[in-house]
Amino acid sequence: MGKLDLVTVIIIAANVIISYKGFGDYSFFDKYKFHVGGVRRGEQIRMVSSGFLHADTQHLLFNMLSLYFFADVVIALLTPIQFLLVYFGSLLVGSLLSLYFHKNEYNYSAVGASGAVSGIIYSAILLQPGMSLYMFFIPIPIPAYIFGIGYLLYSIYGMKNRIGNIGHDAHFGGAVGGYLITLLLSPWLFETNLLMIVLLAIPIVILFALKKMGKI
């Protein structure tokens, strides 16, 4: 395995190890999950540590598979350091957005790598808009941007229905983070992939509009 792939392996391994620690140790899970009251008391570590905890195995698997599909594209077209910048930057933006939306809900809590993964998905699609995915349960290739937009639509459903202890707000917060950070790192995309930049902005704008109108 090459050096670049190792970065993906380390991130996935960290998510798996920390998540499984949280599955069996509630005090550990409670100490490091995203919790508005805790963050507002000064426990800022939760803004990052919550991104390595998951509600259950299905939640962990969904996020890690999504990361697996897109991570190497970002690493190959940027650099390992820039990949980590997109990953952790998106995670932080997702947490900040969740804090903004729920700042008065002191008992609000959430976990998951969704913000970071959304950022990597959006980064990969911006960098390689023509890429397709082959899912084992669908016999035809799926355009990557369809998957990315679908991922955000799933976040709307999750937010409306408060599914699990999952940071659905962080999904599109992370997407915004990945979108903006990638454009800052690769301004040449405005010349080569302007159409995809506009297309990917649409669901972000819609999500924020729905939130502002109180629809989610």
Side-chain angles (χ1 to χ4, degrees):
M1 179 173 292
K3 179 181 178 182
L4 301 185
D5 292 333
L6 185 60
V7 177
T8 308
V9 172
I10 290 171
I11 291 292
I12 291 176
N15 273 276
V16 171
I17 292 167
I18 295 171
S19 291
Y20 270 90
K21 168 69 173 172
F23 293 160
D25 185 343
Y26 180 76
S27 63
F28 177 85
F29 184 92
D30 193 58
K31 182 178 180 180
Y32 291 109
K33 70 183 180 181
F34 178 85
H35 182 265
V36 171
V39 173
R40 296 193 66 171
R41 286 194 302 269
E43 300 167 7
Q44 275 80 23
I45 186 65
R46 293 175 182 268
M47 304 278 281
V48 176
S49 61
S50 59
F52 290 87
L53 292 168
H54 288 81
D56 50 42
T57 302
Q58 182 180 1
H59 183 208
L60 173 64
L61 182 63
F62 178 77
N63 275 333
M64 292 305 98
L65 278 175
S66 299
L67 179 62
Y68 170 78
F69 288 138
F70 292 94
D72 286 351
V73 173
V74 178
I75 293 171
L77 294 174
L78 294 178
T79 68
I81 296 299
Q82 290 175 327
F83 166 83
L84 291 173
L85 183 60
V86 173
Y87 187 90
F88 284 100
S90 299
L91 172 58
L92 187 57
V93 173
S95 292
L96 287 169
L97 199 66
S98 292
L99 182 63
Y100 173 73
F101 284 154
H102 301 282
K103 58 183 178 291
N104 296 320
E105 300 174 46
Y106 281 76
N107 290 321
Y108 177 83
S109 64
V111 293
S114 304
V117 173
S118 292
I120 294 299
I121 289 173
Y122 258 53
S123 180
I125 296 169
L126 282 172
L127 292 165
Q128 193 170 315
M131 67 183 292
S132 296
L133 297 178
Y134 288 87
M135 311 290 280
F136 65 89
F137 49 85
I138 301 177
I140 58 174
I142 303 171
Y145 69 90
I146 296 294
F147 181 92
I149 292 171
Y151 191 88
L152 288 188
L153 292 177
Y154 167 76
S155 78
I156 299 177
Y157 175 77
M159 290 164 64
K160 285 178 65 109
N161 295 280
R162 295 269 179 159
I163 297 175
N165 191 32
I166 301 169
H168 296 285
D169 297 279
H171 285 208
F172 68 86
V176 172
Y179 181 85
L180 295 176
I181 294 168
T182 301
L183 291 176
L184 286 171
L185 292 172
S186 307
W188 51 266
L189 290 170
F190 285 100
E191 297 180 12
T192 60
N193 297 339
L194 184 59
L195 176 60
M196 191 57 62
I197 289 173
V198 173
L199 286 175
L200 291 180
I202 292 171
I204 292 175
V205 171
I206 290 172
L207 286 165
F208 276 111
L210 288 173
K211 185 67 178 179
K212 189 167 185 177
M213 291 187 293
K215 301 293 186 180
I216 55 176

